Amino acid sequence: MIEILSKIYNKNFEKFKQHISKSIRENKKEFIITVNPETIMISQTNKVMKEILQNENFILVPDGISIVKSCQMCNIKIKERITGIDITKYLLSEINKQNKSLYLFGAKKEVIDNFANLIKNKYKNIKLLGFTDGYVNDKDKVFEKIIKLKPDICLVALGIPMQEEIIYKYIDRFEKGIFIGVGGTFDVLSGYKKRAPKFFIKNNLEWLYRIAKEPKRIKRFVKYNVKFYIQILKEKNIDN
Ligand code: UDP
């Protein structure tokens, strides 16, 4: 696991933005993976996720504070947390500036409808090529359609690991485009769910807010986060 941590993007968000802005302008292809303990723990048993995290061509960004802290524990230099929600907001404003195109896939029907409307109203220059909710039966068919549309950005909100797996399955069939799995971002940006108040974000307590709001997340938190730290400590002790 420490090996994965050492592959995580270690510059600040500003530098990341510059890199992505250039990739969009030059019609490059990127797959951004927002890494948190859940992503890493899933990759221990899920072969596809493991391959994704090991692929040198993809960008792994430190989505959770646990990732930043565990890198520090292992003496791996890392600048700051870069979250899926902040990347999404940035991508939208950037493609609006660059008059580029977008496809949205995922979340509940009412959420994606609202989010698509919000984008049409707020980002007049974005060419929204289409959007599909994440509960359709045939998700592969949606991707076949997206391949033909050739979007500059494709945001996929199906949750880990489904969003990463489907992007990975089809990414070779795209010539360009920025692909990212954004989890519950559409729920938050459409106003369907609230992001944590600034105090929680600033003090790296966003995870606590999410658990307090949705107590069913506790099981998920224990399953992934606690085990993640135990595993990292074990590996660290073996190394020393
Ligand atoms: N989702 C979906 N299709 C599914 C399962 C989940 O579109 O079959 C969506 C769900 O509606 C939510 C997102 O995927 O918008 C996952 O959100 P979650 O909060 O679990 O992700 P996190 O941000 O915690 O990774």
Side-chain angles (χ1 to χ4, degrees), residues 34 36 38 63 105-108 111 132-136 139 156-160 162-163 182-188 192-193 210 214 217 220:
T34 58
N36 54 41
E38 193 171 347
D63 183 57
F105 181 26
K108 292 185 182 143
V111 171
T132 313
D133 74 79
Y135 294 87
V136 289
K139 296 191 173 67
V156 183
L158 298 172
I160 306 170
M162 208 196 313
Q163 55 194 19
V182 292
T185 295
F186 296 177
D187 299 291
V188 175
Y192 182 78
K193 275 189 194 168
R210 294 186 87 180
E214 294 174 68
R217 282 186 183 269
R220 210 167 128 182

Tab-separated table of all heavy atoms in Angstrom, residues 34 36 38 63 105-108 111 132-136 139 156-160 162-163 182-188 192-193 210 214 217 220, ligand 1:
chain	number	residue	atom	x	y	z
A	34	THR	N	-9.477	9.855	-7.841
A	34	THR	CA	-9.441	10.491	-6.526
A	34	THR	C	-9.229	9.380	-5.490
A	34	THR	O	-10.083	8.521	-5.310
A	34	THR	CB	-10.746	11.250	-6.240
A	34	THR	OG1	-11.825	10.336	-6.316
A	34	THR	CG2	-10.976	12.378	-7.225
A	36	ASN	N	-8.711	7.737	-1.852
A	36	ASN	CA	-8.916	7.797	-0.407
A	36	ASN	C	-8.729	6.380	0.139
A	36	ASN	O	-8.479	5.457	-0.643
A	36	ASN	CB	-10.305	8.403	-0.096
A	36	ASN	CG	-11.402	7.664	-0.815
A	36	ASN	OD1	-11.384	6.440	-0.895
A	36	ASN	ND2	-12.351	8.397	-1.362
A	38	GLU	N	-10.664	4.159	1.014
A	38	GLU	CA	-11.580	3.198	0.395
A	38	GLU	C	-11.026	2.694	-0.943
A	38	GLU	O	-11.023	1.500	-1.220
A	38	GLU	CB	-12.931	3.894	0.194
A	38	GLU	CG	-14.036	2.941	-0.144
A	38	GLU	CD	-15.408	3.612	-0.130
A	38	GLU	OE1	-15.549	4.746	0.380
A	38	GLU	OE2	-16.346	2.993	-0.660
A	63	ASP	N	-7.444	12.550	-2.335
A	63	ASP	CA	-8.792	13.061	-2.076
A	63	ASP	C	-9.083	13.197	-0.577
A	63	ASP	O	-9.785	14.097	-0.155
A	63	ASP	CB	-9.814	12.131	-2.736
A	63	ASP	CG	-11.235	12.622	-2.595
A	63	ASP	OD1	-11.510	13.747	-3.027
A	63	ASP	OD2	-12.069	11.893	-2.033
A	105	PHE	N	-22.414	11.434	-16.521
A	105	PHE	CA	-23.007	10.112	-16.346
A	105	PHE	C	-23.014	9.757	-14.867
A	105	PHE	O	-21.966	9.724	-14.231
A	105	PHE	CB	-22.195	9.084	-17.161
A	105	PHE	CG	-22.722	7.673	-17.094
A	105	PHE	CD1	-24.061	7.401	-16.846
A	105	PHE	CD2	-21.864	6.592	-17.299
A	105	PHE	CE1	-24.546	6.095	-16.790
A	105	PHE	CE2	-22.324	5.280	-17.253
A	105	PHE	CZ	-23.668	5.032	-16.983
A	106	GLY	N	-24.216	9.508	-14.320
A	106	GLY	CA	-24.308	9.041	-12.944
A	106	GLY	C	-25.308	9.813	-12.108
A	106	GLY	O	-25.881	10.805	-12.549
A	107	ALA	N	-25.535	9.316	-10.894
A	107	ALA	CA	-26.466	9.858	-9.900
A	107	ALA	C	-27.926	9.579	-10.271
A	107	ALA	O	-28.215	9.066	-11.354
A	107	ALA	CB	-26.230	11.343	-9.664
A	108	LYS	N	-28.814	9.949	-9.351
A	108	LYS	CA	-30.239	9.700	-9.586
A	108	LYS	C	-30.762	10.636	-10.669
A	108	LYS	O	-30.212	11.714	-10.874
A	108	LYS	CB	-31.015	9.950	-8.287
A	108	LYS	CG	-30.710	8.926	-7.222
A	108	LYS	CD	-31.591	9.162	-6.013
A	108	LYS	CE	-31.247	8.154	-4.939
A	108	LYS	NZ	-31.301	8.704	-3.601
A	111	VAL	N	-31.380	14.202	-9.730
A	111	VAL	CA	-30.112	14.889	-9.434
A	111	VAL	C	-29.434	15.323	-10.733
A	111	VAL	O	-29.046	16.483	-10.901
A	111	VAL	CB	-29.169	13.955	-8.626
A	111	VAL	CG1	-27.778	14.554	-8.498
A	111	VAL	CG2	-29.752	13.662	-7.252
A	132	THR	N	-26.753	11.188	-18.561
A	132	THR	CA	-27.533	9.976	-18.286
A	132	THR	C	-27.452	9.671	-16.802
A	132	THR	O	-26.368	9.782	-16.217
A	132	THR	CB	-26.937	8.767	-19.059
A	132	THR	OG1	-26.704	9.152	-20.408
A	132	THR	CG2	-27.860	7.571	-19.016
A	133	ASP	N	-28.561	9.286	-16.204
A	133	ASP	CA	-28.514	8.953	-14.787
A	133	ASP	C	-27.791	7.619	-14.592
A	133	ASP	O	-27.589	6.862	-15.545
A	133	ASP	CB	-29.931	8.927	-14.195
A	133	ASP	CG	-30.702	7.706	-14.617
A	133	ASP	OD1	-30.482	6.623	-14.033
A	133	ASP	OD2	-31.521	7.813	-15.549
A	134	GLY	N	-27.393	7.357	-13.365
A	134	GLY	CA	-26.555	6.194	-13.090
A	134	GLY	C	-27.318	4.930	-12.757
A	134	GLY	O	-26.726	3.969	-12.254
A	135	TYR	N	-28.604	4.919	-12.994
A	135	TYR	CA	-29.388	3.733	-12.639
A	135	TYR	C	-29.982	3.042	-13.864
A	135	TYR	O	-30.908	2.252	-13.751
A	135	TYR	CB	-30.458	4.112	-11.596
A	135	TYR	CG	-29.793	4.524	-10.300
A	135	TYR	CD1	-29.399	5.856	-10.094
A	135	TYR	CD2	-29.480	3.592	-9.313
A	135	TYR	CE1	-28.729	6.237	-8.932
A	135	TYR	CE2	-28.817	3.960	-8.148
A	135	TYR	CZ	-28.439	5.288	-7.969
A	135	TYR	OH	-27.771	5.657	-6.823
A	136	VAL	N	-29.430	3.345	-15.037
A	136	VAL	CA	-29.878	2.662	-16.258
A	136	VAL	C	-29.352	1.225	-16.212
A	136	VAL	O	-28.328	0.945	-15.578
A	136	VAL	CB	-29.350	3.358	-17.545
A	136	VAL	CG1	-30.040	4.677	-17.776
A	136	VAL	CG2	-27.836	3.560	-17.477
A	139	LYS	N	-25.151	0.067	-18.630
A	139	LYS	CA	-24.185	1.171	-18.498
A	139	LYS	C	-23.163	1.149	-19.646
A	139	LYS	O	-22.634	2.171	-20.053
A	139	LYS	CB	-23.492	1.115	-17.148
A	139	LYS	CG	-24.477	1.316	-15.995
A	139	LYS	CD	-23.773	1.535	-14.684
A	139	LYS	CE	-24.727	1.908	-13.571
A	139	LYS	NZ	-25.668	0.854	-13.166
A	156	VAL	N	-18.004	10.979	-14.330
A	156	VAL	CA	-18.768	9.760	-14.048
A	156	VAL	C	-19.009	9.641	-12.535
A	156	VAL	O	-18.064	9.541	-11.759
A	156	VAL	CB	-18.020	8.511	-14.571
A	156	VAL	CG1	-18.857	7.257	-14.341
A	156	VAL	CG2	-17.677	8.662	-16.050
A	157	ALA	N	-20.288	9.683	-12.152
A	157	ALA	CA	-20.631	9.651	-10.721
A	157	ALA	C	-21.420	8.392	-10.396
A	157	ALA	O	-22.640	8.423	-10.225
A	157	ALA	CB	-21.440	10.903	-10.360
A	158	LEU	N	-20.710	7.264	-10.326
A	158	LEU	CA	-21.384	5.990	-10.041
A	158	LEU	C	-20.912	5.391	-8.721
A	158	LEU	O	-21.366	4.327	-8.327
A	158	LEU	CB	-21.100	4.981	-11.159
A	158	LEU	CG	-21.589	5.327	-12.573
A	158	LEU	CD1	-21.052	4.314	-13.576
A	158	LEU	CD2	-23.108	5.376	-12.629
A	159	GLY	N	-19.985	6.063	-8.043
A	159	GLY	CA	-19.390	5.524	-6.813
A	159	GLY	C	-18.217	4.607	-7.128
A	159	GLY	O	-18.094	4.082	-8.237
A	160	ILE	N	-17.351	4.436	-6.119
A	160	ILE	CA	-16.186	3.539	-6.236
A	160	ILE	C	-16.681	2.099	-6.051
A	160	ILE	O	-17.489	1.879	-5.155
A	160	ILE	CB	-15.156	3.804	-5.111
A	160	ILE	CG1	-14.742	5.269	-5.067
A	160	ILE	CG2	-13.949	2.920	-5.233
A	160	ILE	CD1	-13.914	5.591	-3.811
A	162	MET	N	-17.276	1.239	-9.276
A	162	MET	CA	-17.956	1.114	-10.574
A	162	MET	C	-17.524	2.204	-11.564
A	162	MET	O	-17.279	1.941	-12.744
A	162	MET	CB	-19.466	1.193	-10.355
A	162	MET	CG	-20.261	0.439	-11.391
A	162	MET	SD	-21.998	0.883	-11.432
A	162	MET	CE	-22.535	0.891	-9.768
A	163	GLN	N	-17.389	3.435	-11.051
A	163	GLN	CA	-17.049	4.558	-11.945
A	163	GLN	C	-15.645	4.389	-12.561
A	163	GLN	O	-15.451	4.607	-13.755
A	163	GLN	CB	-17.177	5.891	-11.195
A	163	GLN	CG	-16.351	5.959	-9.926
A	163	GLN	CD	-16.708	7.107	-9.002
A	163	GLN	OE1	-17.788	7.681	-9.089
A	163	GLN	NE2	-15.801	7.466	-8.112
A	182	VAL	N	-16.379	10.847	-9.934
A	182	VAL	CA	-16.541	11.922	-8.953
A	182	VAL	C	-17.475	11.584	-7.779
A	182	VAL	O	-17.850	12.464	-7.011
A	182	VAL	CB	-16.985	13.247	-9.627
A	182	VAL	CG1	-15.876	13.806	-10.500
A	182	VAL	CG2	-18.275	13.073	-10.416
A	183	GLY	N	-17.833	10.312	-7.623
A	183	GLY	CA	-18.643	9.889	-6.463
A	183	GLY	C	-19.911	10.694	-6.290
A	183	GLY	O	-20.685	10.868	-7.227
A	184	GLY	N	-20.091	11.236	-5.084
A	184	GLY	CA	-21.336	11.944	-4.774
A	184	GLY	C	-21.345	13.422	-5.160
A	184	GLY	O	-22.219	14.171	-4.723
A	185	THR	N	-20.415	13.824	-6.026
A	185	THR	CA	-20.286	15.252	-6.383
A	185	THR	C	-21.553	15.853	-7.019
A	185	THR	O	-21.923	16.987	-6.713
A	185	THR	CB	-19.089	15.421	-7.352
A	185	THR	OG1	-17.920	15.069	-6.629
A	185	THR	CG2	-18.943	16.824	-7.857
A	186	PHE	N	-22.224	15.098	-7.892
A	186	PHE	CA	-23.430	15.660	-8.548
A	186	PHE	C	-24.509	15.935	-7.488
A	186	PHE	O	-25.245	16.904	-7.591
A	186	PHE	CB	-24.019	14.703	-9.599
A	186	PHE	CG	-23.134	14.408	-10.790
A	186	PHE	CD1	-23.548	13.494	-11.765
A	186	PHE	CD2	-21.909	15.038	-10.957
A	186	PHE	CE1	-22.747	13.205	-12.861
A	186	PHE	CE2	-21.099	14.752	-12.043
A	186	PHE	CZ	-21.527	13.834	-12.995
A	187	ASP	N	-24.571	15.036	-6.472
A	187	ASP	CA	-25.566	15.218	-5.401
A	187	ASP	C	-25.324	16.549	-4.682
A	187	ASP	O	-26.264	17.267	-4.369
A	187	ASP	CB	-25.465	14.085	-4.367
A	187	ASP	CG	-25.725	12.718	-4.973
A	187	ASP	OD1	-26.865	12.449	-5.353
A	187	ASP	OD2	-24.779	11.934	-5.104
A	188	VAL	N	-24.066	16.855	-4.456
A	188	VAL	CA	-23.733	18.078	-3.726
A	188	VAL	C	-23.897	19.311	-4.622
A	188	VAL	O	-24.567	20.277	-4.261
A	188	VAL	CB	-22.283	18.007	-3.163
A	188	VAL	CG1	-21.880	19.319	-2.509
A	188	VAL	CG2	-22.166	16.864	-2.159
A	192	TYR	N	-28.763	18.667	-3.994
A	192	TYR	CA	-29.536	17.550	-3.462
A	192	TYR	C	-29.006	17.143	-2.082
A	192	TYR	O	-29.750	16.765	-1.201
A	192	TYR	CB	-29.429	16.400	-4.465
A	192	TYR	CG	-30.194	15.152	-4.147
A	192	TYR	CD1	-31.570	15.079	-4.364
A	192	TYR	CD2	-29.535	14.021	-3.656
A	192	TYR	CE1	-32.258	13.908	-4.087
A	192	TYR	CE2	-30.215	12.848	-3.385
A	192	TYR	CZ	-31.575	12.810	-3.598
A	192	TYR	OH	-32.260	11.641	-3.330
A	193	LYS	N	-27.675	17.232	-1.918
A	193	LYS	CA	-27.069	16.987	-0.606
A	193	LYS	C	-26.165	18.170	-0.295
A	193	LYS	O	-25.631	18.802	-1.206
A	193	LYS	CB	-26.192	15.735	-0.649
A	193	LYS	CG	-26.938	14.461	-0.438
A	193	LYS	CD	-25.963	13.309	-0.283
A	193	LYS	CE	-26.679	11.985	-0.411
A	193	LYS	NZ	-25.731	10.874	-0.537
A	210	ARG	N	-19.881	13.964	7.157
A	210	ARG	CA	-20.616	13.014	6.298
A	210	ARG	C	-21.162	11.853	7.131
A	210	ARG	O	-22.272	11.395	6.908
A	210	ARG	CB	-19.707	12.495	5.171
A	210	ARG	CG	-19.330	13.601	4.205
A	210	ARG	CD	-18.565	13.069	3.038
A	210	ARG	NE	-19.454	12.631	1.973
A	210	ARG	CZ	-19.034	12.116	0.826
A	210	ARG	NH1	-17.760	11.972	0.595
A	210	ARG	NH2	-19.898	11.752	-0.096
A	214	GLU	N	-25.028	10.993	7.594
A	214	GLU	CA	-25.485	9.688	7.095
A	214	GLU	C	-24.852	8.580	7.941
A	214	GLU	O	-23.839	8.007	7.546
A	214	GLU	CB	-25.047	9.503	5.633
A	214	GLU	CG	-25.715	10.465	4.668
A	214	GLU	CD	-25.135	10.333	3.265
A	214	GLU	OE1	-25.343	9.286	2.635
A	214	GLU	OE2	-24.447	11.266	2.830
A	217	ARG	N	-22.889	5.452	7.001
A	217	ARG	CA	-21.508	5.495	6.514
A	217	ARG	C	-20.498	4.961	7.541
A	217	ARG	O	-19.353	4.706	7.206
A	217	ARG	CB	-21.109	6.931	6.142
A	217	ARG	CG	-21.657	7.389	4.817
A	217	ARG	CD	-21.103	8.750	4.451
A	217	ARG	NE	-21.678	9.235	3.210
A	217	ARG	CZ	-21.148	9.009	2.007
A	217	ARG	NH1	-20.039	8.341	1.880
A	217	ARG	NH2	-21.728	9.478	0.914
A	220	ARG	N	-18.987	1.699	6.611
A	220	ARG	CA	-18.048	1.880	5.505
A	220	ARG	C	-16.737	2.482	6.020
A	220	ARG	O	-15.652	2.081	5.625
A	220	ARG	CB	-18.715	2.854	4.519
A	220	ARG	CG	-18.327	2.640	3.080
A	220	ARG	CD	-19.289	3.424	2.204
A	220	ARG	NE	-18.562	4.269	1.287
A	220	ARG	CZ	-19.148	5.093	0.420
A	220	ARG	NH1	-20.471	5.177	0.357
A	220	ARG	NH2	-18.429	5.831	-0.382
B	1	UDP	N1	-24.806	5.862	-8.094
B	1	UDP	C1	-25.305	5.665	-9.365
B	1	UDP	N2	-25.601	4.409	-9.772
B	1	UDP	C2	-25.435	3.317	-8.975
B	1	UDP	C3	-24.897	3.513	-7.689
B	1	UDP	C4	-24.587	4.809	-7.262
B	1	UDP	O1	-25.465	6.615	-10.115
B	1	UDP	O2	-25.729	2.201	-9.419
B	1	UDP	C5	-24.490	7.229	-7.663
B	1	UDP	C6	-25.216	7.716	-6.420
B	1	UDP	O3	-26.510	8.145	-6.758
B	1	UDP	C7	-24.303	8.819	-5.945
B	1	UDP	C8	-22.906	8.336	-6.379
B	1	UDP	O4	-23.126	7.284	-7.324
B	1	UDP	O5	-24.600	10.009	-6.631
B	1	UDP	C9	-22.052	7.756	-5.245
B	1	UDP	O6	-22.071	8.580	-4.186
B	1	UDP	P1	-21.332	8.313	-2.800
B	1	UDP	O7	-21.744	9.416	-1.910
B	1	UDP	O8	-21.511	6.902	-2.341
B	1	UDP	O9	-19.814	8.466	-3.258
B	1	UDP	P2	-18.572	9.016	-2.481
B	1	UDP	O10	-18.539	10.474	-2.760
B	1	UDP	O11	-18.741	8.635	-1.037
B	1	UDP	O12	-17.473	8.255	-3.159
